[in-house]
Each structure stands twice: as C-alpha cells, then as structure tokens.
C-alpha cells in the first residue's frame, strides 16, 4: 500500500496566522501532510484572509480541507497543535528578548488548547523556542515525549546548505547537525559531520574542495546570523521554517521514526538535566523518542553544556 494511503486522516492545528503560521499551513498543503488543517488567530480579518487565499489553491495540492477562526474551538480534536503565536523578532533583537512576552501568551493560550485538543502533541515554533518548550511542559503537565520544539531543525538545514555549497555537492548528501539552543549559544557538531559517508574531516575530493578552518568559521557565522539577515531584508523568516515544520509534522503523523534535531526535555543526557534543547532525536507518532548519543568532541560537549546553562538561566529568570 502506498505510504499516503496507509496514513490515517490527521488534523493539524496551527496557532498564529502570521507569516510563519500561514507558511506552515501552506507547506503542509503542498506536501499533503494532513487531511485537515485548522488555522487559529485572534485577528479574525487576518485569519479569514489567509484561509481564503489558501483555499483558492486547493485544486493544485493533495486533497485536504483548510479552515480558520478566531475561536479556539477550530483546534478541537487536532492530532498535533503547532504554536507559532507570539511577539515576532525585530531587527537587532535576540530570540531571548522575546521570552517574557511569549511566556505570557503561553499562559493564557495553553489551557484553552488543552481543553479542545487534550490528546494532541504540542509542537512549539514560537521563540525563544527552547525556553517556550520547557515552559509549555511545565504549564501543561504533559509527558515530555508529547511536547517538542522545532529546535535546530532549521539551523541544521542552513548548516548543511552552506557546507554543500562550499563543497559543490547536493545538500541531501550532507549529514551535519547544530545542537543546543536555537540561538546564540548553539553548537556546530563538526566532528560527526559527513558527506556521502565520508567524515567531513577526511573529505578532499578533486573539484569539490576541502573545508579550511576559515571556511568553518564563516559557515557557522552565516548559520548564526541567517535569521537576522533575512529579518533585516524582509521582516520575518517564513519559508524555510515552514518547510522544516512540515517535515517535523510528517515524522509525527506518519510515524516515520525520522531523526531530527528537535528541542525536547533532556534528563541525564551527557550529564545535562532539566532543560529543553536540541540533539538528534527519533521522532514518531508518539512524539519525541530516543535522544541519540551522537559523538561529540570535548569542545562540542562543553559547548552544549554551556548552551544548556544559558537556556536554564533564562527559564529560571522567568520563574520556572
């Protein structure tokens, strides 16, 4: 039986019809992620307009229904609720600067969502995503497997794109992860990176170069500054995070056991406890499964621990 026929009809609710939420809905339609998509936003005119625009294209995508409302009831019965609502990052702001405002939004929003979708997995995209994922876990009391953040799925995609561009190979053949915070303290895991099963440290192919230390420094700076670069030019990042979120949703709804660097609660991972951050995890219909013991150099492990401290400090400053 083809994969798309073996999947039970699923409902995805997207909270927030801003540029990120609307693009996630669009990416889900294009990829046939779910049979039902619901868009919820307190701005009725905005959500109505986005739904109308998306529905006008239904002829050109896999069969699905899409509806929207300013009433949280629209999310009832969702298998996964994607939360994008919150203050958006302005030029010059760090993701951590958004924490106080977005935690307040979570406090009012989460009880309403739990009332209409008590069995849903919660996928957080709102920044600072690691802080918001932890806060959501605490406010909802849900099992850790059922609450995850988009984490460094997008950062890792940027990382692979930049490595692939320098080496003139397809991005699909590059395997490399960013771990830790989705933000300034994130850590590139160079030591485990590979291209077509060749460790990146050993890669040296005629016509396809070899990464120098300067290349590595520039690549990582570009990964860290990517969001600021896009925001300064067009006000928001939306396409890549829309596609990244659709990919996480596919892993969840199709029970793929796909390995993705999502943000989830770590307990006893390399001595790191009681914090949400990104390491490669198995993602399936139950949510976040095993957190993989990916090899790290001593420097990388120290970086991830420092990243955990940064996130934990932010969470504590918010009273959690």
């Amino acid at each position: 039986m083809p994969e798309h026929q073996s999947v039970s009809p699923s409902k995805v609710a997207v909270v927030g019809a801003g540029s990120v939420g609307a693009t996630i809905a669009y990416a889900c339609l294009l990829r046939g992620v779910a049979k039902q998509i619901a868009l919820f936003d307190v701005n009725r005119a905005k959500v109505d307009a986005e739904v109308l625009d998306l529905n006008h294209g239904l002829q050109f995508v896999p069969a699905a229904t899409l509806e929207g409302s300013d009433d949280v009831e629209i999310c009832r019965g969702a298998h996964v609720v994607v939360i994008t609502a919150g203050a958006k990052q302005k030029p010059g702001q760090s993701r951590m600067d958004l924490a106080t405002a977005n935690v307040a939004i979570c406090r009012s929003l989460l009880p309403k969502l739990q009332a209409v979708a008590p069995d849903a997995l919660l996928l957080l995209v709102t920044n600072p995503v690691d802080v918001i994922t932890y806060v959501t876990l605490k406010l909802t009391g849900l099992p850790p497997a059922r609450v995850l953040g988009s984490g460094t799925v997008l950062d890792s995609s940027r990382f692979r794109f930049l490595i692939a561009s320098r080496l003139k190979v397809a991005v699909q053949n590059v395997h490399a992860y960013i771990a830790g915070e989705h933000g300034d303290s994130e850590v590139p895991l160079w030591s485990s990176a590979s291209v077509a099963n060749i460790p990146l440290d050993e890669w040296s192919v005629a016509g396809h170069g070899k990464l120098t230390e300067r290349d590595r420094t520039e690549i990582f700076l570009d990964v860290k500054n990517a969001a600021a670069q896009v925001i300064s030019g067009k006000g928001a990042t939306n396409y890549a995070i829309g596609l990244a979120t659709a990919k996480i949703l596919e892993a969840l709804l199709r029970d793929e056991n796909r390995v993705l660097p999502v943000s989830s609660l770590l307990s006893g991972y390399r001595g790191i406890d009681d914090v949400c951050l990104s390491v490669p995890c198995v993602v399936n219909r139950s949510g976040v499964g095993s957190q993989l013991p990916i090899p790290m150099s001593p420097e990388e492990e120290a970086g991830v621990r420092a990243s955990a401290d940064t996130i934990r400090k932010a969470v504590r400053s918010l009273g959690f």
Side-chain angles (χ1 to χ4, degrees):
M1 184 182 283
E3 184 192 60
H4 67 274
Q5 289 181 11
S6 67
V7 178
S8 61
S10 299
K11 178 174 179 177
V12 170
V14 180
V15 177
S19 56
V20 172
T23 308
I24 289 169
Y26 180 58
C28 286
L29 281 178
L30 286 180
R31 297 183 64 87
V33 171
K35 289 294 183 189
Q36 291 175 276
I37 299 169
L39 202 49
F40 165 65
D41 197 290
V42 292
N43 183 338
R44 184 59 188 261
K46 171 73 167 147
V47 75
D48 283 352
E50 292 291 4
V51 169
L52 199 59
D53 197 5
L54 288 163
N55 274 326
H56 291 162
L58 283 186
Q59 175 191 339
F60 310 113
V61 298
T65 61
L66 186 136
E67 52 188 352
S69 177
D70 59 352
D71 184 346
V72 76
E73 185 64 32
I74 198 81
C75 301
R76 183 168 292 281
H79 294 77
V80 186
V81 176
V82 182
I83 301 176
T84 73
K88 76 176 186 179
Q89 202 173 340
K90 297 182 178 72
Q93 264 192 324
S94 77
R95 296 181 183 98
M96 282 296 186
D97 292 336
L98 307 172
T100 305
N102 290 347
V103 165
I105 288 168
C106 283
R107 280 188 188 277
S108 66
L109 190 59
L110 290 168
K112 297 170 190 170
L113 289 169
Q114 281 194 283
V116 296
D119 300 322
L121 299 167
L122 299 183
L123 173 54
L124 287 305
V125 181
T126 299
N127 278 317
V129 71
D130 305 289
V131 171
I132 298 297
T133 302
Y134 184 89
V135 166
T136 297
L137 258 176
K138 293 299 175 188
L139 291 175
T140 60
L142 288 170
R146 286 178 52 194
V147 178
L148 63 157
S150 53
T152 59
V153 174
L154 175 53
D155 311 73
S156 297
S157 178
R158 289 168 171 155
F159 191 39
R160 293 179 188 198
F161 164 74
L162 290 163
I163 292 169
S165 296
R166 298 260 176 153
L167 299 181
K168 299 184 179 65
V169 295
V171 68
Q172 292 84 354
N173 294 117
V174 177
H175 287 274
Y177 293 105
I178 299 285
E181 178 199 359
H182 172 55
D184 293 340
S185 69
E186 64 190 22
V187 180
L189 301 183
W190 291 109
S191 67
S192 59
S194 66
V195 181
N197 280 5
I198 300 171
L200 192 58
D201 289 340
E202 297 170 22
W203 177 271
S204 183
V205 176
H208 297 273
K210 182 176 177 64
L211 293 186
T212 63
E213 277 307 312
R214 182 176 172 177
D215 287 328
R216 291 183 180 219
T217 301
E218 288 176 357
I219 284 170
F220 183 50
L221 276 175
D222 283 350
V223 171
K224 281 218 289 191
N225 297 331
Q229 201 177 342
V230 175
I231 289 165
S232 71
K234 66 174 219 175
T237 61
N238 61 312
Y239 295 122
I241 187 58
L243 289 166
T245 305
K247 181 58 73 178
I248 299 168
L249 286 166
E250 285 176 4
L252 293 168
L253 294 170
R254 297 178 182 176
D255 203 26
E256 287 183 344
N257 289 309
R258 183 179 290 271
V259 175
L260 293 165
V262 292
S263 184
S264 64
L265 184 71
L266 297 194
S267 297
Y269 183 93
R270 294 180 176 274
I272 299 169
D273 288 293
D274 195 36
V275 69
C276 290
L277 55 74
S278 292
V279 295
C281 299
V282 176
V283 179
N284 56 34
R285 190 139 188 135
S286 300
V288 184
S290 303
Q291 294 156 336
L292 304 182
I294 189 165
M296 294 184 198
S297 69
E299 295 77 16
E300 289 165 353
E301 184 166 327
V304 174
R305 286 174 189 270
S307 193
D309 291 340
T310 298
I311 298 162
R312 200 181 288 108
K313 186 177 174 185
V315 165
R316 298 290 179 265
S317 74
L318 295 162
F320 287 88

